[in-house]
Structure formats: structure tokens, C-alpha cells
Amino acid sequence: SLEATGQMVSFSIVGPFTLRRARDHKYFLDTHMSGKMFQMGYDGEVAWTASGFFGDDAAQRVRGADLVMLVRETDFATPFFDYKEQGYEVKLVGEKEFEGQKGIAIEVKRKDGQSETWYLNPKSYLEIGRESPGSDFGRPMPLRTFYDDFRVVGGVKIPFLVESQWYTRERIFHVGEVKLNVETDEAQFKIPPPPGMGPYLSMAGDWAV
């Protein structure tokens, strides 16, 4: 497991964030957008988001282009780690520049058929960027991601600066602290029940009436 905390810039507003990851593509992000609560999660099967951004705090399932973009972020490390076991296809493209930097381009094809290109530093082999399918409120569009400020935490090199750009949007994660192998609550990754439905969760199941 991994927990990262710091400051996130979204819609030109800075706010705190907490990001938790665990094996088997489990993901949970807790932050604010435009001063509104924003949470996003994935338990390995169901992707969801809960936000006051549109005036409704109830969690909703993520679908379409937003789902493609979210699931892409749930790799515990990078898509190259155990890529065969994950069912990904990896192809070496060769030397190619990314934003003026020399890089080694590698194409990754996901199980959903979508492809993305990663750029690695020729000397360190750490990622410097990625071009992948993105989404702007459900509308598909290209996404560019930049990685920088790598620091060693528990023997692992982790980027403390991650910047994403798509259409007119920009989101920047300034990581302040990373903790590894933290205790996680499995329920945190699952979609929250609708407001007021908590007492009735024990009744969930298939009924024949």
C-alpha cells in the first residue's frame, strides 16, 4: 500500500489531497475542487466519484471516457511492473523527444484496446512523461502527463511532482509526504452507499418476492 499527501492545483485553486493506493488496482483520492469536496475511488471492479461540484454529494459510478482515464491511474506502480500478468502489450518505439527532452518511447496497449506512450529518461529509465487517452467531464480528449522531482522513499523512487494537461484543463500534484505499507480500510475503496441507506446495507442481495 501507499499513501501520498500534499497540495493539488485544480481550476487554479490550491487545496490539500490524500491519495491511497493498494495492490489489485485499488485507488482512493480525497481532495477539493473549486472549494468543493471531491472523492474518487476504485475497488478493482467499480469506479466511482463523489463531489459537491455539481451540488450532489451522493457517489456516482464512473463510466465512459472518465472510466478509461481513472482505471489508467490505478496501477500500483507503473504499467511496466508485471505487465504480462496484467495482460498489457508493451512495444519499444525508440528514441523520441518529449517536450524538448530526449526520451525512450514505449507504447503500452491496455486490455481495453487503448494505447498510450510513455517516455523514459535514457540514463535513469525513470518516466518523464506520458501521452494517453483522457477525458474532460466525459468528453474524450488527449492527456499529457509530466513526472519530476523523484525522491527515494523506502528504497523506491517516487515522483513528487505530477502534472496533467488536457484541453484547457491542468492538474498538478505537489506531493509533500509518502508513506509505504500503511494500513488500509478496504471499505474506503468501495463506492459509498446513498445518503441515509447505511442502516439498510445488511439487506443487500438478490431477492425473490
Side-chain angles (χ1 to χ4, degrees), residues 174-195:
H174 294 276
V175 179
E177 183 180 17
V178 173
K179 297 179 181 178
L180 302 180
N181 300 321
V182 297
E183 291 187 11
T184 57
D185 181 1
E186 293 296 314
Q188 189 174 58
F189 302 107
K190 297 183 178 296
I191 184 171

Side-chain angles (χ1 to χ4, degrees), residues 54-103:
F54 296 107
D56 184 2
D57 293 342
Q60 305 287 336
R61 288 198 177 205
V62 177
R63 294 181 170 88
D66 286 341
L67 176 61
V68 172
M69 188 170 71
L70 172 57
V71 173
R72 196 173 301 276
E73 300 300 324
T74 64
D75 288 310
F76 183 68
T78 74
F80 307 115
F81 186 77
D82 290 343
Y83 71 90
K84 291 183 179 179
E85 288 80 355
Q86 297 287 348
Y88 303 158
E89 296 179 19
V90 175
K91 175 184 176 182
L92 175 63
V93 178
E95 293 186 2
K96 191 175 179 180
E97 283 197 356
F98 181 77
E99 287 295 304
Q101 299 184 65
K102 291 183 178 180

